[in-house]
């Protein structure tokens, strides 16, 4: 697997690490290939959670502007090639039946918004700044950046952030619901690992249903959603994890859940 994106499994958690710190973890064509390969590895592996993080001072600054300049006469073709790899990759991440957590240790912009905000739970350093980046170079969002920003902050706020290209502090991102929790920079990695491992040890069938129900909540009316909830909780009640969870609760001990 390419060193541009690292992949490791620890304590039931699949770790995806963007690893081009000297270049701000830019989304170049080679990075796109590496990330697509790692996400496919995550899809095929028996894990209980995924943690997305990055090395260096920035989480991901977005597209590789130098590559754009070098290919400016064929820019539409270059973008089509990169998104041909990464759009299915983003869909695969969204469809993983396990919790996905992101740990945003540094500033992010452009396509980095999509990579950081696609997670079910977004943790960040309290020193982070978020910036759209697209409008500054005459482009529009990709990798789900406008989708996830709109779902988390609302369409009106997403338009403001993406159109104005103004930097937004971690504290403002937390207030708007773009981030779920902030941590001191030196504590972020440990806190993210702890949460990911706790979720990986949980009742993954229950977490999968929670993820699916919440993601689809705005896709149908209340009556349909109540029916989906009933089917999901019935499926959970049939699973051995429900009996183990109830027994552990009554016996005041930690449950030993099955992963599948």
């Amino acid at each position: 697997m390419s060193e541009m994106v690292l992949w490791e499994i620890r304590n039931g958690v699949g770790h995806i690490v963007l690893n081009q710190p000297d270049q701000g973890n830019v989304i170049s064509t080679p990075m796109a290939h590496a990330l697509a390969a790692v996400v496919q590895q995550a899809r095929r592996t028996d894990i209980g959670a995924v943690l997305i993080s990055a090395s260096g001072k920035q989480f991901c600054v977005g597209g590789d502007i130098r590559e754009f300049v070098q290919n400016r006469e064929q820019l539409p073709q270059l973008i089509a090639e990169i998104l041909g790899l990464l759009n299915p990759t983003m869909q695969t991440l969204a469809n993983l039946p396990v919790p996905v957590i992101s740990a945003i240790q540094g500033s992010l912009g452009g396509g980095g918004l999509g990579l950081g905000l696609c997670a079910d739970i977004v943790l960040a350093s309290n020193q982070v700044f978020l910036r759209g980046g697209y409008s500054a170079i005459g482009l529009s969002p990709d990798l789900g950046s406008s989708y996830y920003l709109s779902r988390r902050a609302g369409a009106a706020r997403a338009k403001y952030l993406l159109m104005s290209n103004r930097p937004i502090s971690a504290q403002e991102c937390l207030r708007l619901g773009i981030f779920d929790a902030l941590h001191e920079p030196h504590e972020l990695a440990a806190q993210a690992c702890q949460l990911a491992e706790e979720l990986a040890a949980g009742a993954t069938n229950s977490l999968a249903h929670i993820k699916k129900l919440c993601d689809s909540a705005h896709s149908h009316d209340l009556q349909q959603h109540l029916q989906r909830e009933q089917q999901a909780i019935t499926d959970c009640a049939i699973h051995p994890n429900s009996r183990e969870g109830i027994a552990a609760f009554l016996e005041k001990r930690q449950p030993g859940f099955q992963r599948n």
Side-chain angles (χ1 to χ4, degrees), residues 208-242:
H209 279 300
I210 291 170
K211 178 173 181 172
K212 188 178 295 186
L213 286 168
C214 291
D215 284 344
S216 65
H218 297 292
S219 301
H220 40 255
D221 62 24
L222 175 60
Q223 181 179 1
Q224 291 174 310
H225 195 75
L226 289 172
Q227 292 171 346
R228 289 173 182 240
E229 284 187 331
Q230 180 175 344
Q231 183 60 57
I233 197 171
T234 300
D235 290 344
C236 287
I238 295 170
H239 198 284
N241 278 345
S242 66

Side-chain angles (χ1 to χ4, degrees), residues 9 15 29 44 53-54 59 67 75 81 139 180 196-197 199 201:
I9 301 172
H15 291 258
T29 301
R44 295 190 297 264
S53 61
F59 178 79
E67 188 177 27
L75 186 57
E81 177 185 352
L139 294 177
D180 295 312
E197 290 175 7
L199 293 175

